[in-house]
Amino acid sequence: MKYFIKTFDNARILVEDLNSDIEKTILFIHGWPLNHNVFEYQLDFFPDKGYRCIGVDLRGFGESDRPYNNYDYDTMASDVKKIIDILDLKDITLVGHSMGGAIALRYLSKYNCHGVSKLSLIGAAAPSWVKTKDFPYGFTEDTVNAFIKDSLSDRPNLLKNVSDKFFFKYISSPMLNWFSNITLSASPWGTFKCLISLREERLFEDIEKVSIPTLILHGVHDLICPYEFAKYLNEKIKNSTLVPLNESGHGAFIEEKDKVNITLLNFIK
């Protein structure tokens, strides 16, 4: 079932809700510049295991509204809070990929884990997508600035370059075309404004506030969010387990979907 939920600024956020009569819930938050359809192989798997599965299109992506402003992590975390409150969700396993993992961490920090009992991070863009004085991993600010410039001048080429770096293992041409079409469906302004947020946002303090059981899944060949991100998260989140995915890049939920699904299933049982 698909429907929309309105946020504080009247943006309509698309929700795909499977098994809505079941209480135990998995809520999926996608990364940049994607939408909830990238979780196809999780949304195929978990409903048959007895879970309610909710996929969300973040503002500016997929079928959600495309406002020109408000693409910071606080706003997108408040969108997640609105969904959880409107649907009265409890005992949630929150699954965030890439930027979605960063938004999940901001949500847990800002709202004291409201409604969420477990967290899974897949290739999370945290604690910082860019290098800082004390965190020498990720892209440089200059590189992200070049991404933003490219997004404003030749967005399809930028997204092709991102898609080429996304996977480690062989991906069929039809699969890559499907994935590329998802990236191109994002709003142009949502695409570059989220790049600004990825450049500016820091989650070092947010991570310190997370104490719920956390499963960290991360491709060791990830070129978008280096594996060092996962090691840092595992060190700083007290109740966390890190599972390296040795045959994956940034798209582990596709590349090693069976391992991701079984590991996540065992974690939330």
Side-chain angles (χ1 to χ4, degrees):
M1 180 191 309
K2 284 185 179 181
Y3 46 83
F4 292 90
I5 290 177
K6 279 192 176 183
T7 66
F8 76 97
D9 58 352
N10 289 319
R12 298 180 311 141
I13 302 298
L14 178 117
V15 173
E16 179 126 42
D17 192 350
L18 307 175
N19 280 353
S20 59
D21 57 336
I22 293 175
E23 183 173 342
K24 195 165 180 65
T25 301
I26 309 172
L27 177 58
F28 295 90
I29 307 177
H30 66 81
W32 171 91
L34 307 172
N35 61 52
H36 84 281
N37 290 304
V38 295
F39 292 115
E40 175 176 336
Y41 300 105
Q42 288 66 55
L43 298 176
D44 284 343
F45 178 83
F46 284 97
D48 280 342
K49 306 301 178 185
Y51 293 91
R52 181 180 187 179
C53 292
I54 296 177
V56 173
D57 285 351
L58 295 171
R59 57 175 57 222
F61 300 92
E63 297 179 55
S64 288
D65 282 352
R66 298 147 54 109
Y68 191 73
N69 294 312
N70 297 325
Y71 290 92
D72 58 281
Y73 288 0
D74 278 353
T75 295
M76 290 188 282
S78 76
D79 292 347
V80 173
K81 172 75 160 46
K82 188 68 176 287
I83 291 164
I84 288 172
D85 286 347
I86 290 292
L87 299 180
D88 194 26
L89 301 177
K90 300 177 178 66
D91 194 23
I92 305 163
T93 297
L94 190 58
V95 178
H97 169 249
S98 195
M99 186 184 74
I103 293 165
L105 288 164
R106 176 58 53 82
Y107 172 84
L108 296 174
S109 168
K110 188 177 178 66
Y111 299 108
N112 195 28
C113 300
H114 172 70
V116 179
S117 58
K118 292 185 178 181
L119 169 68
S120 180
L121 300 170
I122 306 176
S128 172
W129 203 50
V130 299
K131 297 176 181 180
T132 69
K133 178 181 177 182
D134 300 316
F135 189 73
Y137 310 109
F139 294 104
T140 65
E141 288 195 14
D142 286 345
T143 298
V144 181
N145 288 338
F147 291 163
I148 294 167
K149 182 179 178 182
D150 289 346
S151 183
L152 292 167
S153 60
D154 191 345
R155 184 171 62 97
N157 189 58
L158 167 68
L159 296 177
K160 180 186 182 302
N161 291 335
V162 170
S163 297
D164 288 345
K165 292 180 173 65
F166 207 87
F167 300 105
F168 169 66
K169 290 169 59 178
Y170 169 78
I171 295 295
S172 69
S173 293
M175 175 72 81
L176 190 57
N177 288 338
W178 168 80
F179 180 83
S180 296
N181 287 335
I182 288 176
T183 70
L184 287 166
S185 72
S187 71
W189 43 93
T191 299
F192 84 81
K193 285 178 178 281
C194 280
L195 281 171
I196 293 171
S197 293
L198 282 160
R199 183 190 66 194
E200 298 296 323
E201 298 272 8
R202 304 290 180 265
L203 293 142
F204 297 99
E205 294 182 4
D206 300 83
I207 290 163
E208 298 286 348
K209 299 177 183 178
V210 177
S211 59
I212 59 175
T214 300
L215 173 66
I216 302 166
L217 300 164
H218 210 112
V220 300
H221 306 284
D222 196 329
L223 299 178
I224 307 296
C225 295
Y227 186 68
E228 285 80 7
F229 287 18
K231 292 194 286 186
Y232 181 93
L233 292 168
N234 183 219
E235 178 185 339
K236 296 297 183 180
I237 298 176
K238 300 177 182 66
N239 195 6
S240 66
T241 300
L242 171 58
V243 177
L245 299 169
N246 295 312
E247 300 298 324
S248 293
H250 197 50
F253 50 88
I254 293 173
E255 293 179 277
E256 290 189 77
K257 56 184 176 293
D258 293 338
K259 183 173 181 179
V260 166
N261 290 348
I262 294 299
T263 304
L264 182 55
L265 178 65
N266 290 334
F267 171 67
I268 63 181
K269 277 183 177 177

